[in-house]
Amino acid sequence: MQFEVETGGRVRQVTVSRTGDGFAVSVDGRLHQVDFARVDAHTLSLIVDTDVSGGTWERSDAGPNPDAGPNKARPTYEATIVPDSDGRVVVLIGAVPVTLRLNSRRGGGRRQGGAAAGSGPLRIVAPMPGKVVRVLVKAGDPVRARQAVVVVEAMKMENELRADRDGTVAEIHTREGMSVEAGALLVVIQ
């Protein structure tokens, strides 16, 4: 399956295919082997072999073949995935929230038609369970792209949730001190 993944204003080409009990993931032509285990409904534990483009896929129960080139390192990540509206997904890697926009490409085609980027409501959701520490906007407030709108404390860290684009706060679904679950709707921006 091929995807265009937009994050931080940059579009990356991602191809994912199953290989045995894991996945081959190509990001802008750099190949990685990814094994995963589901922790819960929204969380995956990932083991990622570093760029294996120059190595081989030869593996054993002890991990990658140490003679297989640059695929020796096996960093691990815990990723919490929270789908949002309009093709956006919030992925919390450790305590760092990353907002992605996914566009599936079938047959190699590019995105066509549909809503322009930035149209429709922008839904700010809690990336993981936590407590709302501050609500930085009110209904009717104008917001700029990358402006912090809500601060959520999770795992003893404060996470500023930001607007992806300019707009106006249409709805606020939270208040300071409120406990929230992963995926809980906090703010809607038009």
Side-chain angles (χ1 to χ4, degrees):
M1 174 79 73
Q2 294 181 336
F3 298 92
E4 289 179 341
V5 179
E6 179 184 344
T7 183
R10 184 171 176 195
V11 177
R12 295 181 175 266
Q13 304 301 316
V14 178
T15 303
V16 180
S17 59
R18 185 168 272 295
T19 58
D21 60 352
F23 292 90
V25 179
S26 171
V27 180
D28 290 338
R30 293 189 65 189
L31 192 57
H32 304 271
Q33 176 69 25
V34 179
D35 294 323
F36 76 94
R38 184 169 295 281
V39 175
D40 61 32
H42 298 285
T43 307
L44 299 174
S45 177
L46 305 172
I47 299 174
V48 181
D49 288 339
T50 56
D51 185 9
V52 294
S53 300
T56 69
W57 290 110
E58 186 177 338
R59 301 175 61 82
S60 70
D61 290 339
N65 178 344
D67 300 322
N71 66 345
K72 294 179 187 178
R74 292 178 54 91
T76 60
Y77 304 92
E78 191 165 283
T80 302
I81 303 162
V82 182
D84 197 358
S85 65
D86 194 28
R88 282 184 292 272
V89 175
V90 177
V91 179
L92 188 68
I93 301 173
V96 179
V98 178
T99 301
L100 308 172
R101 181 181 305 273
L102 303 175
N103 299 306
S104 177
R105 291 177 22 182
R106 298 183 187 275
R110 305 276 302 178
R111 176 178 22 167
Q112 298 177 10
S119 64
L122 169 62
R123 297 165 39 96
I124 308 291
V125 299
M128 64 186 307
K131 179 177 147 185
V132 175
V133 177
R134 288 185 299 281
V135 178
L136 304 171
V137 294
K138 299 183 302 270
D141 283 356
V143 294
R144 306 278 303 166
R146 304 287 305 140
Q147 177 181 336
V149 294
V150 177
V151 178
V152 176
E153 181 181 299
M155 298 184 343
K156 298 182 183 178
M157 294 186 67
E158 290 188 359
N159 300 288
E160 285 188 344
L161 305 181
R162 301 174 178 271
D164 286 346
R165 65 174 196 275
D166 295 349
T168 302
V169 176
E171 304 168 21
I172 297 181
H173 293 269
T174 192
R175 65 183 183 290
E176 291 180 7
M178 184 176 178
S179 293
V180 293
E181 293 297 319
L185 178 62
L186 305 175
V187 175
V188 177
I189 298 171
Q190 292 287 0

